[in-house]
Amino acid sequence: MSRKIIGFLAFIATGVGLLGGTFFNNNNTITIASILTISAFFIIGLIDHYKQLTK
């Protein structure tokens, strides 16, 4: 179980790093809006995976 949680946290860190780096390096509003949309789906997916891990 702890190995799965560590892998899950590594996945979260990678996704947040990529999304955050792209967000802060772009000044285009269309790009920022699309990144925020992708981030919302990323968070929804993480919640679903976390619920499966805790079962």
Side-chain angles (χ1 to χ4, degrees):
M1 180 69 168
S2 63
R3 191 176 82 182
K4 288 183 181 180
I5 296 294
I6 291 171
F8 183 64
L9 292 175
F11 177 74
I12 292 171
T14 303
V16 169
L18 289 172
L19 290 170
T22 305
F23 180 78
F24 289 118
N25 288 330
N26 284 313
N27 293 327
N28 189 355
T29 55
I30 295 172
T31 305
I32 291 174
S34 64
I35 291 171
L36 290 175
T37 304
I38 291 169
S39 299
F41 287 120
F42 181 70
I43 291 169
I44 292 168
L46 289 177
I47 292 169
D48 185 45
H49 286 297
Y50 180 73
K51 287 180 184 178
Q52 288 179 0
L53 279 176
T54 57
K55 285 184 179 180

